[in-house]
Structures are given as C-alpha cells and as structure tokens.
C-alpha cells in the first residue's frame, strides 16, 4: 500500500464570550481564587449561554477552520468529533455538525475518550488520510463541560470550561505532518473519573437525578497522580522511539487539566518555558478542546512555525492516554 503522511493544514477555534473568574465561583461554592490558582493554574474559564449544545460550538470552530483553508464544506470527506458532552446520546454529534456545516459528501462519527479525545480523533483521522481513503478529514474536539458540571461540588466545578477546536487533515507532500501516534487505555481507572448515570448501567431516573449522578465525579488526587506520571511517560517515549532527543522538540502542546501536570511533563523532558504552551489560566479544562486551543495560543504568540517538531500529549478519563508527534506544516493564521 502507498501510505501518505497526514498533515494539519488549517485550525479553527471557538470559545464563548462569557468569562467566569475564580472570584465569581467564590459566590457559588466554598472556594477561593487563591486555592484555584495555586492548585490548578486556572484564573478564568469560558461558559456558553445556557442551552448551547456542543454541536453549535463545534460547528463554529469547524467553519473557521474551513474558511481559513479557503475550501467549502462539500469538500470534506470525514468528520470525527471528540466529545464527552454530545448533544444527545445519539445521533452522534458528528452528524449534527455535518448537517450544520452542509458537508454534503462527509460521513462521520464521535469518539469518546474524554480529555484524550483530541489526540485519539487526530490519530483516527490521520489513518484515513494515510491509507489514501480520504483527502480531507475534519477533526474536532469540543465540549460544553458546563452541561455536566455539578455546581454544588467545589472539587470539580472550578476545573472546567467550554470550548471547541477543529483541524483539517490532508495528505502531506513534504516532510511535515504526523510522524507517530501512541495510545494507551487503562480501564481500571474508570471508577476514578466518570459521569455515573444516563447510560445503560444507570438509566436516568428520579433517583439518579436526586443523587446528582448526571454530573462529573472525580477522585482528583488519584487522577492527578496517574496523569502526572503518564503525561510525562508518553511524551518522552514518543520522542525517543522516533530517534529524537528532548533538545530537538520545539513545542509541547499538552492537555490542560492542571498546570502542575503540564509542569511535570515539561520537567521530565527538560524543556524551557518557551517550548511549552500553558493557557489553562484563561480557559480551564475544556476536555477535548484544550489541545487545539493550545495550538491557537502558540500561533497567536508566534511560537509555532513550519517544520517545528511538536509533541501533543493527553491523559483523560478511562483512563485514556495519547501522544502524537508531528512536524508542523504551517497554516493560514490571521
Ligand atoms: C482536583 C485537584 C486540583 C485537587 O488538588 P489537590 O492538591 O489534589 O487537592 P485535594 O483533592 O487533595 O484536596 C485538598 C483539599 O482542598 C479542598 N478543596 C478541593 N476543592 C477545593 C476548592 N475548589 N476550593 C477550596 N478547597 C478545595 C479539599 O476538600 C481538600 O480539603 P481537606 O484537605 O480538608 O480534605 C487535583 O487533584 C487535580 O488536578 N486532579 C486531576 C484533575 C484532572 O486532571 N482531571 C481531568 C482529567 S485529565
């Protein structure tokens, strides 16, 4: 088979206008700006207007992505949406995005890998390009976390925000593009971070609502320890198994769940601050959207140039783990 490397040729992002500061959350739960900043690195996050579904913000990010590339939606072959906050259990959010975009030729599906959703979706999308099956794949990471946040639980509600990001994958004709992908699952971690009800195990009932089981539940300390270890492990592994050294890495785009988790990966790789993107202070944890939002921050700050060696890394509920190594291809960014 004649394999073609996939590369990212465009990026679009969307964050809602409404900024919610830590001080605002002090009025809702027993917390403090100081606790949130020092334990997580978060200063503020964005919230959608109540009732805004994930497909809407995914659509906005996708539209910007296509506009920046200068192509119409009918050129898209496949739409892969990573999300844990689908509009509904079914149909897949990818179908709703396909309809909103009027991407008439595209098929699509959702990926449920929580905070690793974007790296998983990127890997899946890249394979369709690599095999030659498709030439234009839209990969979207989008979550309306406010739809599953329990505003009576201070240990989780301060951590998350809403956002969306979309990239276009196309075949590469030079040495840029996705070089390698590395993924793991450890299902024994499922009990430490989940939304217990609303699925087949515990269908919605008056009792599940009363017990607040339709919200995120997390053993923060346990997830933290796992994430610190794994994020650093996979980042290092993917660099080394491709014959590179940490010195050759130009940028680490890690999932933004807690700045201390990103710091740990940075330390393991021995990277200076200039080579690590941290924007959790502005957006909190937007789950599947953090990595494309980090790409946008890097581009805004002029820190991502054609040919740069970039590591994407994520850990999420499942547990799911992902790392992607790529040479940045350059996108239209104004
Ligand atoms: C959630 C997290 C920030 C908590 O930080 P931590 O340093 O582990 O804090 P702990 O959970 O040990 O809690 C310490 C104390 O702070 C309290 N606390 C928790 N949330 C608080 C808040 N929002 N405001 C004030 N105090 C809070 C706890 O009740 C606890 O009090 P206690 O010692 O009296 O029992 C951290 O564990 C984390 O980031 N975990 C990973 C999250 C994550 O990555 N999730 C997404 C999947 S990738």
């Amino acid at each position: 088979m004649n394999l073609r490397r996939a590369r990212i040729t465009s990026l679009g992002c969307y964050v809602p206008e409404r900024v919610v500061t830590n001080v605002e959350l002090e009025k809702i739960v027993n917390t403090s700006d100081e606790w949130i900043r020092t334990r997580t690195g978060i200063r503020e996050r964005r919230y959608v207007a109540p009732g805004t579904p994930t497909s809407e913000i995914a659509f906005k990010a996708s539209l910007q992505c296509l506009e920046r590339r200068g192509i119409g939606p009918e050129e898209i072959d496949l739409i892969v949406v990573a999300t844990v906050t689908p509009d509904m259990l079914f149909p897949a959010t990818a179908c709703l995005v396909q309809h909103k975009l009027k991407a008439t030729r595209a098929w699509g599906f959702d990926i449920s890998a929580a905070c690793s959703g974007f790296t998983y979706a990127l890997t899946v999308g890249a394979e369709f390009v690599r095999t030659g099956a498709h030439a234009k794949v839209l990969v979207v990471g989008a979550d309306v976390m406010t739809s599953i946040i329990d505003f009576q639980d201070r240990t989780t509600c301060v951590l998350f925000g809403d956002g969306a990001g979309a990239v276009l994958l196309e075949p590469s004709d030079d040495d840029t593009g996705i070089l390698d992908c590395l993924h793991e699952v450890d299902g024994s971690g499922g009990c430490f971070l989940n939304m217990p009800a609303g699925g087949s195990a515990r269908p919605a009932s008056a009792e599940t609502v009363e017990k607040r089981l339709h919200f995120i539940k997390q053993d923060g300390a346990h997830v933290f320890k796992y994430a610190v270890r794994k994020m650093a492990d996979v980042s290092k592994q993917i660099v080394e198994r491709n014959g590179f050294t940490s010195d050759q890495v130009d940028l680490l785009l890690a999932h933004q769940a807690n700045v201390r988790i990103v710091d740990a990966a940075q330390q393991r790789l021995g990277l200076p601050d200039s080579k690590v993107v941290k924007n959790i202070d502005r957006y909190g944890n937007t789950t599947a959207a953090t990595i494309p939002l980090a790409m946008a921050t890097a581009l805004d700050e002029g820190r991502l140039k054609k040919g740069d060696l970039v590591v994407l890394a994520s850990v999420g509920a499942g547990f799911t783990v992902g790392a992607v190594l790529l040479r940045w291809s350059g996108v239209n960014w104004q």
Side-chain angles (χ1 to χ4, degrees), residues 118-130:
F118 188 77
T119 59
Y120 276 46
L122 197 63
T123 296
V124 170
E127 284 303 306
F128 280 96
V129 173
R130 210 166 74 93

Side-chain angles (χ1 to χ4, degrees), residues 5-284:
R5 183 179 291 161
R7 67 177 178 188
I8 293 172
T9 57
S10 190
L11 168 68
C13 287
Y14 176 80
V15 287
E17 274 172 33
R18 178 149 183 253
V19 176
V20 177
T21 62
N22 293 343
V23 173
E24 233 180 287
L25 291 178
E26 286 176 4
K27 295 174 198 144
I28 302 172
V29 284
N30 179 17
T31 190
S32 69
D33 172 49
E34 206 257 333
W35 191 95
I36 301 171
R37 267 190 299 106
T38 54
R39 297 293 181 113
T40 71
I42 302 167
R43 289 172 186 276
E44 58 189 40
R45 68 288 288 146
R46 305 294 185 99
Y47 286 179
V48 296
T52 307
T54 295
S55 66
E56 190 59 29
I57 64 172
F59 162 68
K60 285 181 170 149
S62 301
L63 202 59
Q64 189 186 59
C65 176
L66 298 186
E67 280 170 5
R68 284 196 169 127
R69 181 73 179 103
I71 63 165
E74 67 289 345
E75 292 191 49
I76 302 300
D77 300 305
L78 168 65
I79 301 171
V80 185
V81 175
T83 188
V84 283
T85 52
D87 291 25
M88 297 165 254
L89 269 180
F90 66 90
T93 302
C95 302
L96 306 173
V97 172
Q98 180 271 345
H99 183 61
K100 285 182 180 174
L101 276 176
K102 301 189 180 68
T104 45
R105 280 195 325 108
W107 67 293
F109 51 87
D110 289 2
I111 285 186
S112 173
C115 296
S116 292
F118 188 77
T119 59
Y120 276 46
L122 197 63
T123 296
V124 170
E127 284 303 306
F128 280 96
V129 173
R130 210 166 74 93
T131 59
H134 292 315
K136 287 187 171 54
V137 177
L138 192 63
V139 173
V140 189
D143 272 297
V144 173
M145 296 307 290
T146 46
S147 65
I148 57 168
I149 288 174
D150 185 350
F151 283 100
Q152 292 182 13
D153 177 6
R154 70 174 183 173
T155 68
T156 53
C157 74
V158 300
L159 304 174
F160 298 96
D162 302 331
V167 298
L168 186 68
L169 290 173
E170 296 182 76
S172 178
D173 55 11
D174 57 24
D175 63 353
T176 66
I178 293 174
L179 307 177
D180 194 15
C181 311
L182 188 165
H183 295 281
E184 291 177 21
V185 160
D186 178 358
S188 70
C191 53
F192 300 109
L193 176 54
N194 57 38
M195 192 173 86
S200 53
R202 296 188 89 163
S205 66
E207 189 198 354
T208 60
V209 171
E210 198 219 327
K211 290 186 170 164
R212 310 186 72 75
L213 299 180
H214 296 272
F215 295 119
I216 302 165
K217 306 285 176 200
Q218 174 172 247
D219 177 339
H222 192 97
V223 175
F224 184 84
K225 276 186 218 136
Y226 185 85
V228 160
R229 181 166 60 84
K230 274 295 172 185
M231 179 90 86
D233 278 357
V234 291
S235 302
K236 205 157 186 305
Q237 208 181 322
I238 200 164
V239 169
E240 287 174 355
R241 83 176 188 186
N242 284 279
F244 295 106
T245 60
S246 297
D247 294 352
Q248 292 171 289
V249 173
D250 295 298
L251 202 64
L252 173 65
L253 293 170
H255 169 60
Q256 314 275 308
N258 187 319
V259 77
R260 294 184 287 146
I261 299 173
V262 183
D263 287 344
Q266 175 179 358
Q267 272 167 22
R268 265 291 281 290
L269 287 173
L271 298 176
D273 285 344
S274 60
K275 290 187 170 185
V276 184
V277 177
K278 295 171 193 169
N279 65 4
I280 191 170
D281 57 325
R282 276 163 266 176
Y283 303 126

